[in-house]
mmCIF file of all heavy atoms in Angstrom:
data_model
loop_
_atom_site.group_PDB
_atom_site.id
_atom_site.type_symbol
_atom_site.label_atom_id
_atom_site.label_comp_id
_atom_site.label_asym_id
_atom_site.label_seq_id
_atom_site.Cartn_x
_atom_site.Cartn_y
_atom_site.Cartn_z
ATOM 1 N N SER B 290 16.651 1.304 8.763
ATOM 2 C CA SER B 290 18.005 1.303 9.235
ATOM 3 C C SER B 290 18.272 2.433 10.212
ATOM 4 O O SER B 290 17.486 3.413 10.298
ATOM 5 C CB SER B 290 18.990 1.471 8.070
ATOM 6 O OG SER B 290 18.725 2.663 7.393
ATOM 7 N N LEU B 291 19.285 2.273 11.042
ATOM 8 C CA LEU B 291 19.520 3.194 12.151
ATOM 9 C C LEU B 291 19.858 4.564 11.664
ATOM 10 O O LEU B 291 19.340 5.555 12.129
ATOM 11 C CB LEU B 291 20.645 2.654 13.024
ATOM 12 C CG LEU B 291 20.932 3.456 14.250
ATOM 13 C CD1 LEU B 291 19.653 3.744 15.041
ATOM 14 C CD2 LEU B 291 21.908 2.681 15.167
ATOM 15 N N HIS B 292 20.695 4.717 10.669
ATOM 16 C CA HIS B 292 21.123 6.076 10.223
ATOM 17 C C HIS B 292 19.892 6.751 9.622
ATOM 18 O O HIS B 292 19.747 7.956 9.669
ATOM 19 C CB HIS B 292 22.313 5.998 9.304
ATOM 20 C CG HIS B 292 22.049 5.423 7.974
ATOM 21 N ND1 HIS B 292 22.341 4.059 7.649
ATOM 22 C CD2 HIS B 292 21.506 5.946 6.803
ATOM 23 C CE1 HIS B 292 21.970 3.864 6.401
ATOM 24 N NE2 HIS B 292 21.442 4.946 5.874
ATOM 25 N N ASN B 325 23.320 4.888 20.948
ATOM 26 C CA ASN B 325 24.121 3.689 21.215
ATOM 27 C C ASN B 325 24.611 3.080 19.936
ATOM 28 O O ASN B 325 24.397 1.884 19.690
ATOM 29 C CB ASN B 325 23.275 2.694 22.076
ATOM 30 C CG ASN B 325 24.185 1.601 22.580
ATOM 31 O OD1 ASN B 325 25.358 1.783 22.855
ATOM 32 N ND2 ASN B 325 23.635 0.413 22.634
ATOM 33 N N CYS B 326 25.296 3.818 19.184
ATOM 34 C CA CYS B 326 25.828 3.344 17.882
ATOM 35 C C CYS B 326 27.213 4.010 17.677
ATOM 36 O O CYS B 326 27.674 4.814 18.439
ATOM 37 C CB CYS B 326 24.935 3.653 16.749
ATOM 38 S SG CYS B 326 24.742 5.433 16.385
ATOM 39 N N SER B 327 27.816 3.622 16.565
ATOM 40 C CA SER B 327 29.159 4.181 16.300
ATOM 41 C C SER B 327 29.087 5.550 15.658
ATOM 42 O O SER B 327 28.054 5.944 15.126
ATOM 43 C CB SER B 327 29.907 3.225 15.366
ATOM 44 O OG SER B 327 29.397 3.327 14.069
ATOM 45 N N ARG B 328 30.171 6.218 15.633
ATOM 46 C CA ARG B 328 30.179 7.577 15.100
ATOM 47 C C ARG B 328 29.964 7.560 13.568
ATOM 48 O O ARG B 328 29.337 8.422 12.957
ATOM 49 C CB ARG B 328 31.521 8.275 15.323
ATOM 50 C CG ARG B 328 31.544 9.731 14.950
ATOM 51 C CD ARG B 328 32.749 10.495 15.504
ATOM 52 N NE ARG B 328 33.957 10.231 14.680
ATOM 53 C CZ ARG B 328 34.303 10.978 13.606
ATOM 54 N NH1 ARG B 328 33.550 11.973 13.204
ATOM 55 N NH2 ARG B 328 35.475 10.682 12.984
ATOM 56 N N MET B 329 30.355 6.497 12.885
ATOM 57 C CA MET B 329 30.187 6.359 11.431
ATOM 58 C C MET B 329 28.732 6.405 11.109
ATOM 59 O O MET B 329 28.282 7.026 10.099
ATOM 60 C CB MET B 329 30.818 5.056 10.924
ATOM 61 C CG MET B 329 32.295 5.175 10.682
ATOM 62 S SD MET B 329 32.693 6.384 9.414
ATOM 63 C CE MET B 329 31.880 5.702 7.949
ATOM 64 N N THR B 330 27.962 5.749 11.945
ATOM 65 C CA THR B 330 26.461 5.703 11.645
ATOM 66 C C THR B 330 25.856 7.069 11.788
ATOM 67 O O THR B 330 25.102 7.553 10.984
ATOM 68 C CB THR B 330 25.831 4.730 12.644
ATOM 69 O OG1 THR B 330 26.434 3.465 12.475
ATOM 70 C CG2 THR B 330 24.326 4.610 12.342
ATOM 71 N N LYS B 333 26.958 9.347 8.911
ATOM 72 C CA LYS B 333 26.259 9.082 7.659
ATOM 73 C C LYS B 333 24.928 9.894 7.664
ATOM 74 O O LYS B 333 24.638 10.545 6.652
ATOM 75 C CB LYS B 333 25.885 7.558 7.551
ATOM 76 C CG LYS B 333 25.462 7.148 6.186
ATOM 77 C CD LYS B 333 25.527 5.613 6.080
ATOM 78 C CE LYS B 333 25.181 5.174 4.703
ATOM 79 N NZ LYS B 333 25.385 3.723 4.492
ATOM 80 N N ARG B 348 33.691 22.458 11.364
ATOM 81 C CA ARG B 348 34.743 21.753 12.173
ATOM 82 C C ARG B 348 34.973 22.502 13.442
ATOM 83 O O ARG B 348 35.066 23.713 13.507
ATOM 84 C CB ARG B 348 36.009 21.707 11.316
ATOM 85 C CG ARG B 348 36.034 20.568 10.255
ATOM 86 C CD ARG B 348 37.209 20.769 9.404
ATOM 87 N NE ARG B 348 37.639 19.440 8.949
ATOM 88 C CZ ARG B 348 37.794 19.141 7.657
ATOM 89 N NH1 ARG B 348 37.557 20.016 6.708
ATOM 90 N NH2 ARG B 348 38.222 17.932 7.290
ATOM 91 N N ARG B 349 35.158 21.739 14.428
ATOM 92 C CA ARG B 349 35.519 22.223 15.764
ATOM 93 C C ARG B 349 34.308 22.867 16.469
ATOM 94 O O ARG B 349 34.317 23.006 17.661
ATOM 95 C CB ARG B 349 36.682 23.192 15.639
ATOM 96 C CG ARG B 349 37.041 23.953 16.923
ATOM 97 C CD ARG B 349 37.628 22.984 17.911
ATOM 98 N NE ARG B 349 37.287 23.406 19.276
ATOM 99 C CZ ARG B 349 38.150 23.852 20.196
ATOM 100 N NH1 ARG B 349 39.398 23.899 19.879
ATOM 101 N NH2 ARG B 349 37.775 24.151 21.438
ATOM 102 N N SER B 350 33.310 23.294 15.722
ATOM 103 C CA SER B 350 32.176 24.011 16.317
ATOM 104 C C SER B 350 30.922 23.133 16.464
ATOM 105 O O SER B 350 30.171 23.311 17.421
ATOM 106 C CB SER B 350 31.835 25.283 15.504
ATOM 107 O OG SER B 350 32.947 26.012 15.239
ATOM 108 P P DT C 258 20.798 0.216 3.816
ATOM 109 O OP1 DT C 258 19.450 0.607 4.293
ATOM 110 O OP2 DT C 258 21.662 1.157 3.051
ATOM 111 O "O5'" DT C 258 21.581 -0.226 5.131
ATOM 112 C "C5'" DT C 258 21.034 -1.144 6.039
ATOM 113 C "C4'" DT C 258 22.026 -1.527 7.100
ATOM 114 O "O4'" DT C 258 23.141 -2.172 6.500
ATOM 115 C "C3'" DT C 258 22.581 -0.306 7.844
ATOM 116 O "O3'" DT C 258 22.098 -0.389 9.208
ATOM 117 C "C2'" DT C 258 24.057 -0.401 7.738
ATOM 118 C "C1'" DT C 258 24.254 -1.884 7.348
ATOM 119 N N1 DT C 258 25.468 -2.196 6.540
ATOM 120 C C2 DT C 258 26.352 -3.092 7.026
ATOM 121 O O2 DT C 258 26.200 -3.654 8.104
ATOM 122 N N3 DT C 258 27.461 -3.327 6.237
ATOM 123 C C4 DT C 258 27.749 -2.766 5.052
ATOM 124 O O4 DT C 258 28.807 -3.043 4.440
ATOM 125 C C5 DT C 258 26.785 -1.794 4.511
ATOM 126 C C7 DT C 258 27.003 -1.132 3.226
ATOM 127 C C6 DT C 258 25.704 -1.541 5.305
ATOM 128 P P DA C 259 22.330 0.863 10.145
ATOM 129 O OP1 DA C 259 21.141 0.876 11.069
ATOM 130 O OP2 DA C 259 22.664 2.056 9.409
ATOM 131 O "O5'" DA C 259 23.607 0.439 10.988
ATOM 132 C "C5'" DA C 259 23.578 -0.779 11.719
ATOM 133 C "C4'" DA C 259 24.964 -1.124 12.132
ATOM 134 O "O4'" DA C 259 25.729 -1.495 10.981
ATOM 135 C "C3'" DA C 259 25.813 -0.025 12.778
ATOM 136 O "O3'" DA C 259 25.912 -0.326 14.163
ATOM 137 C "C2'" DA C 259 27.128 -0.063 12.102
ATOM 138 C "C1'" DA C 259 27.060 -1.358 11.253
ATOM 139 N N9 DA C 259 27.796 -1.193 9.995
ATOM 140 C C8 DA C 259 27.491 -0.403 8.905
ATOM 141 N N7 DA C 259 28.351 -0.501 7.918
ATOM 142 C C5 DA C 259 29.328 -1.422 8.386
ATOM 143 C C6 DA C 259 30.513 -1.945 7.833
ATOM 144 N N6 DA C 259 30.918 -1.641 6.640
ATOM 145 N N1 DA C 259 31.238 -2.844 8.611
ATOM 146 C C2 DA C 259 30.713 -3.148 9.810
ATOM 147 N N3 DA C 259 29.668 -2.677 10.463
ATOM 148 C C4 DA C 259 28.987 -1.840 9.675
ATOM 149 P P DT C 260 26.804 0.736 15.070
ATOM 150 O OP1 DT C 260 26.218 0.656 16.384
ATOM 151 O OP2 DT C 260 27.027 2.019 14.398
ATOM 152 O "O5'" DT C 260 28.198 -0.021 15.100
ATOM 153 C "C5'" DT C 260 28.297 -1.377 15.465
ATOM 154 C "C4'" DT C 260 29.749 -1.823 15.479
ATOM 155 O "O4'" DT C 260 30.212 -1.891 14.128
ATOM 156 C "C3'" DT C 260 30.644 -0.778 16.125
ATOM 157 O "O3'" DT C 260 31.198 -1.278 17.342
ATOM 158 C "C2'" DT C 260 31.805 -0.491 15.122
ATOM 159 C "C1'" DT C 260 31.518 -1.450 13.962
ATOM 160 N N1 DT C 260 31.673 -0.818 12.662
ATOM 161 C C2 DT C 260 32.683 -1.188 11.894
ATOM 162 O O2 DT C 260 33.518 -2.014 12.218
ATOM 163 N N3 DT C 260 32.792 -0.533 10.682
ATOM 164 C C4 DT C 260 31.926 0.410 10.159
ATOM 165 O O4 DT C 260 32.045 0.899 9.065
ATOM 166 C C5 DT C 260 30.821 0.753 11.046
ATOM 167 C C7 DT C 260 29.838 1.771 10.643
ATOM 168 C C6 DT C 260 30.735 0.117 12.258
ATOM 169 P P DA C 261 31.819 -0.275 18.425
ATOM 170 O OP1 DA C 261 31.490 -0.805 19.777
ATOM 171 O OP2 DA C 261 31.512 1.102 18.057
ATOM 172 O "O5'" DA C 261 33.367 -0.448 18.188
ATOM 173 C "C5'" DA C 261 33.878 -1.778 17.808
ATOM 174 C "C4'" DA C 261 35.329 -1.558 17.348
ATOM 175 O "O4'" DA C 261 35.295 -1.231 15.957
ATOM 176 C "C3'" DA C 261 36.099 -0.471 18.086
ATOM 177 O "O3'" DA C 261 37.391 -0.929 18.369
ATOM 178 C "C2'" DA C 261 36.087 0.688 17.026
ATOM 179 C "C1'" DA C 261 36.105 -0.052 15.733
ATOM 180 N N9 DA C 261 35.477 0.672 14.591
ATOM 181 C C8 DA C 261 34.408 1.467 14.671
ATOM 182 N N7 DA C 261 34.052 2.032 13.542
ATOM 183 C C5 DA C 261 35.063 1.554 12.652
ATOM 184 C C6 DA C 261 35.294 1.804 11.297
ATOM 185 N N6 DA C 261 34.474 2.592 10.535
ATOM 186 N N1 DA C 261 36.386 1.191 10.735
ATOM 187 C C2 DA C 261 37.116 0.450 11.467
ATOM 188 N N3 DA C 261 36.993 0.143 12.822
ATOM 189 C C4 DA C 261 35.957 0.744 13.313
ATOM 190 P P DT C 262 38.428 -0.029 19.079
ATOM 191 O OP1 DT C 262 39.329 -0.899 19.914
ATOM 192 O OP2 DT C 262 37.718 1.094 19.719
ATOM 193 O "O5'" DT C 262 39.357 0.596 17.922
ATOM 194 C "C5'" DT C 262 39.835 -0.284 16.867
ATOM 195 C "C4'" DT C 262 40.363 0.532 15.734
ATOM 196 O "O4'" DT C 262 39.345 1.104 14.958
ATOM 197 C "C3'" DT C 262 41.260 1.713 16.168
ATOM 198 O "O3'" DT C 262 42.618 1.421 15.895
ATOM 199 C "C2'" DT C 262 40.791 2.887 15.356
ATOM 200 C "C1'" DT C 262 39.854 2.250 14.303
ATOM 201 N N1 DT C 262 38.731 3.105 13.828
ATOM 202 C C2 DT C 262 38.684 3.382 12.504
ATOM 203 O O2 DT C 262 39.527 3.017 11.712
ATOM 204 N N3 DT C 262 37.659 4.228 12.068
ATOM 205 C C4 DT C 262 36.662 4.717 12.966
ATOM 206 O O4 DT C 262 35.751 5.435 12.496
ATOM 207 C C5 DT C 262 36.776 4.320 14.348
ATOM 208 C C7 DT C 262 35.723 4.841 15.338
ATOM 209 C C6 DT C 262 37.782 3.572 14.710
ATOM 210 P P DA C 263 43.813 2.364 16.428
ATOM 211 O OP1 DA C 263 44.990 1.522 16.732
ATOM 212 O OP2 DA C 263 43.317 3.276 17.494
ATOM 213 O "O5'" DA C 263 44.121 3.292 15.218
ATOM 214 C "C5'" DA C 263 44.251 2.662 13.962
ATOM 215 C "C4'" DA C 263 44.273 3.756 12.856
ATOM 216 O "O4'" DA C 263 42.918 4.225 12.575
ATOM 217 C "C3'" DA C 263 45.047 4.980 13.328
ATOM 218 O "O3'" DA C 263 46.274 5.086 12.594
ATOM 219 C "C2'" DA C 263 44.130 6.160 13.016
ATOM 220 C "C1'" DA C 263 42.970 5.552 12.204
ATOM 221 N N9 DA C 263 41.655 6.097 12.517
ATOM 222 C C8 DA C 263 40.993 6.111 13.701
ATOM 223 N N7 DA C 263 39.796 6.655 13.632
ATOM 224 C C5 DA C 263 39.680 7.087 12.298
ATOM 225 C C6 DA C 263 38.711 7.711 11.600
ATOM 226 N N6 DA C 263 37.471 8.077 12.137
ATOM 227 N N1 DA C 263 38.873 7.945 10.258
ATOM 228 C C2 DA C 263 39.977 7.552 9.707
ATOM 229 N N3 DA C 263 41.034 6.921 10.277
ATOM 230 C C4 DA C 263 40.802 6.726 11.572
ATOM 231 P P DC C 264 47.406 6.056 13.022
ATOM 232 O OP1 DC C 264 48.684 5.415 12.531
ATOM 233 O OP2 DC C 264 47.203 6.501 14.387
ATOM 234 O "O5'" DC C 264 47.239 7.310 12.080
ATOM 235 C "C5'" DC C 264 47.125 7.139 10.634
ATOM 236 C "C4'" DC C 264 46.414 8.334 10.008
ATOM 237 O "O4'" DC C 264 45.042 8.265 10.495
ATOM 238 C "C3'" DC C 264 47.023 9.675 10.369
ATOM 239 O "O3'" DC C 264 47.251 10.328 9.141
ATOM 240 C "C2'" DC C 264 45.855 10.347 11.131
ATOM 241 C "C1'" DC C 264 44.617 9.636 10.559
ATOM 242 N N1 DC C 264 43.380 9.791 11.379
ATOM 243 C C2 DC C 264 42.234 10.258 10.734
ATOM 244 O O2 DC C 264 42.263 10.483 9.508
ATOM 245 N N3 DC C 264 41.119 10.407 11.444
ATOM 246 C C4 DC C 264 41.112 10.154 12.734
ATOM 247 N N4 DC C 264 39.961 10.321 13.468
ATOM 248 C C5 DC C 264 42.251 9.690 13.414
ATOM 249 C C6 DC C 264 43.422 9.524 12.686
ATOM 250 P P DA C 265 47.973 11.724 9.123
ATOM 251 O OP1 DA C 265 49.218 11.599 8.257
ATOM 252 O OP2 DA C 265 48.139 12.237 10.509
ATOM 253 O "O5'" DA C 265 46.957 12.670 8.267
ATOM 254 C "C5'" DA C 265 46.188 12.080 7.244
ATOM 255 C "C4'" DA C 265 45.175 13.094 6.745
ATOM 256 O "O4'" DA C 265 43.964 13.040 7.545
ATOM 257 C "C3'" DA C 265 45.634 14.519 6.769
ATOM 258 O "O3'" DA C 265 45.187 15.244 5.653
ATOM 259 C "C2'" DA C 265 45.015 15.091 8.097
ATOM 260 C "C1'" DA C 265 43.731 14.270 8.155
ATOM 261 N N9 DA C 265 43.273 14.035 9.500
ATOM 262 C C8 DA C 265 43.934 13.348 10.544
ATOM 263 N N7 DA C 265 43.286 13.225 11.610
ATOM 264 C C5 DA C 265 42.057 13.852 11.377
ATOM 265 C C6 DA C 265 40.911 14.001 12.107
ATOM 266 N N6 DA C 265 40.755 13.569 13.369
ATOM 267 N N1 DA C 265 39.827 14.697 11.570
ATOM 268 C C2 DA C 265 39.970 15.025 10.289
ATOM 269 N N3 DA C 265 41.009 14.970 9.467
ATOM 270 C C4 DA C 265 42.026 14.286 10.064
ATOM 271 P P DT C 266 45.617 16.709 5.320
ATOM 272 O OP1 DT C 266 45.481 16.862 3.871
ATOM 273 O OP2 DT C 266 46.827 16.966 6.110
ATOM 274 O "O5'" DT C 266 44.399 17.544 5.982
ATOM 275 C "C5'" DT C 266 43.106 17.367 5.516
ATOM 276 C "C4'" DT C 266 42.155 18.333 6.220
ATOM 277 O "O4'" DT C 266 41.884 17.839 7.543
ATOM 278 C "C3'" DT C 266 42.761 19.772 6.400
ATOM 279 O "O3'" DT C 266 41.756 20.673 6.133
ATOM 280 C "C2'" DT C 266 43.081 19.794 7.916
ATOM 281 C "C1'" DT C 266 41.996 18.911 8.490
ATOM 282 N N1 DT C 266 42.201 18.338 9.770
ATOM 283 C C2 DT C 266 41.192 18.267 10.672
ATOM 284 O O2 DT C 266 40.073 18.701 10.435
ATOM 285 N N3 DT C 266 41.469 17.717 11.891
ATOM 286 C C4 DT C 266 42.685 17.128 12.278
ATOM 287 O O4 DT C 266 42.838 16.710 13.419
ATOM 288 C C5 DT C 266 43.754 17.276 11.289
ATOM 289 C C7 DT C 266 45.104 16.766 11.620
ATOM 290 C C6 DT C 266 43.479 17.810 10.121
ATOM 291 P P DA C 267 42.111 22.145 5.543
ATOM 292 O OP1 DA C 267 41.705 22.190 4.156
ATOM 293 O OP2 DA C 267 43.518 22.432 5.970
ATOM 294 O "O5'" DA C 267 41.100 23.015 6.369
ATOM 295 C "C5'" DA C 267 39.770 22.628 6.554
ATOM 296 C "C4'" DA C 267 39.290 23.073 7.869
ATOM 297 O "O4'" DA C 267 39.810 22.289 8.950
ATOM 298 C "C3'" DA C 267 39.615 24.525 8.210
ATOM 299 O "O3'" DA C 267 38.412 25.182 8.555
ATOM 300 C "C2'" DA C 267 40.547 24.394 9.418
ATOM 301 C "C1'" DA C 267 40.131 23.084 10.005
ATOM 302 N N9 DA C 267 41.193 22.367 10.755
ATOM 303 C C8 DA C 267 42.462 22.097 10.350
ATOM 304 N N7 DA C 267 43.147 21.406 11.207
ATOM 305 C C5 DA C 267 42.289 21.187 12.278
ATOM 306 C C6 DA C 267 42.404 20.514 13.490
ATOM 307 N N6 DA C 267 43.576 19.919 13.860
ATOM 308 N N1 DA C 267 41.331 20.460 14.300
ATOM 309 C C2 DA C 267 40.197 21.048 13.903
ATOM 310 N N3 DA C 267 39.949 21.727 12.770
ATOM 311 C C4 DA C 267 41.062 21.760 11.991
ATOM 312 P P DA C 268 38.320 26.781 8.516
ATOM 313 O OP1 DA C 268 37.213 27.124 7.704
ATOM 314 O OP2 DA C 268 39.672 27.359 8.316
ATOM 315 O "O5'" DA C 268 37.906 27.067 10.049
ATOM 316 C "C5'" DA C 268 36.915 26.284 10.620
ATOM 317 C "C4'" DA C 268 37.031 26.272 12.134
ATOM 318 O "O4'" DA C 268 38.118 25.398 12.501
ATOM 319 C "C3'" DA C 268 37.369 27.680 12.742
ATOM 320 O "O3'" DA C 268 36.459 27.858 13.777
ATOM 321 C "C2'" DA C 268 38.793 27.521 13.205
ATOM 322 C "C1'" DA C 268 38.855 26.062 13.557
ATOM 323 N N9 DA C 268 40.237 25.518 13.577
ATOM 324 C C8 DA C 268 41.147 25.663 12.635
ATOM 325 N N7 DA C 268 42.290 24.974 12.890
ATOM 326 C C5 DA C 268 42.024 24.396 14.100
ATOM 327 C C6 DA C 268 42.743 23.525 14.945
ATOM 328 N N6 DA C 268 44.009 23.154 14.655
ATOM 329 N N1 DA C 268 42.200 23.064 16.070
ATOM 330 C C2 DA C 268 40.975 23.460 16.348
ATOM 331 N N3 DA C 268 40.148 24.245 15.658
ATOM 332 C C4 DA C 268 40.697 24.678 14.507
ATOM 333 P P DT C 269 36.105 29.325 14.254
ATOM 334 O OP1 DT C 269 34.697 29.514 13.999
ATOM 335 O OP2 DT C 269 37.139 30.261 13.720
ATOM 336 O "O5'" DT C 269 36.341 29.236 15.855
ATOM 337 C "C5'" DT C 269 35.891 28.036 16.448
ATOM 338 C "C4'" DT C 269 36.729 27.733 17.664
ATOM 339 O "O4'" DT C 269 38.004 27.222 17.191
ATOM 340 C "C3'" DT C 269 37.074 28.921 18.521
ATOM 341 O "O3'" DT C 269 36.613 28.623 19.814
ATOM 342 C "C2'" DT C 269 38.599 29.038 18.505
ATOM 343 C "C1'" DT C 269 39.006 27.591 18.150
ATOM 344 N N1 DT C 269 40.313 27.406 17.545
ATOM 345 C C2 DT C 269 41.229 26.579 18.097
ATOM 346 O O2 DT C 269 41.010 25.931 19.123
ATOM 347 N N3 DT C 269 42.391 26.444 17.439
ATOM 348 C C4 DT C 269 42.789 27.074 16.263
ATOM 349 O O4 DT C 269 43.864 26.908 15.745
ATOM 350 C C5 DT C 269 41.796 27.971 15.742
ATOM 351 C C7 DT C 269 42.062 28.736 14.417
ATOM 352 C C6 DT C 269 40.607 28.076 16.333
ATOM 353 P P DC C 270 36.317 29.868 20.836
ATOM 354 O OP1 DC C 270 34.885 29.823 21.228
ATOM 355 O OP2 DC C 270 36.923 31.084 20.295
ATOM 356 O "O5'" DC C 270 37.228 29.400 22.080
ATOM 357 C "C5'" DC C 270 37.293 27.956 22.362
ATOM 358 C "C4'" DC C 270 38.554 27.701 23.181
ATOM 359 O "O4'" DC C 270 39.632 27.555 22.321
ATOM 360 C "C3'" DC C 270 38.835 28.748 24.160
ATOM 361 O "O3'" DC C 270 38.973 28.194 25.470
ATOM 362 C "C2'" DC C 270 40.147 29.401 23.664
ATOM 363 C "C1'" DC C 270 40.766 28.243 22.846
ATOM 364 N N1 DC C 270 41.578 28.674 21.649
ATOM 365 C C2 DC C 270 42.789 28.068 21.436
ATOM 366 O O2 DC C 270 43.230 27.174 22.160
ATOM 367 N N3 DC C 270 43.529 28.424 20.315
ATOM 368 C C4 DC C 270 43.047 29.381 19.538
ATOM 369 N N4 DC C 270 43.784 29.731 18.467
ATOM 370 C C5 DC C 270 41.756 30.060 19.723
ATOM 371 C C6 DC C 270 41.034 29.635 20.802
#
Side-chain angles (χ1 to χ4, degrees):
Chain B
S290 60
L291 184 49
H292 69 263
N325 190 32
C326 66
S327 76
R328 188 168 79 88
M329 279 300 294
T330 304
K333 195 166 185 173
R348 280 171 148 126
R349 171 69 213 249
S350 309

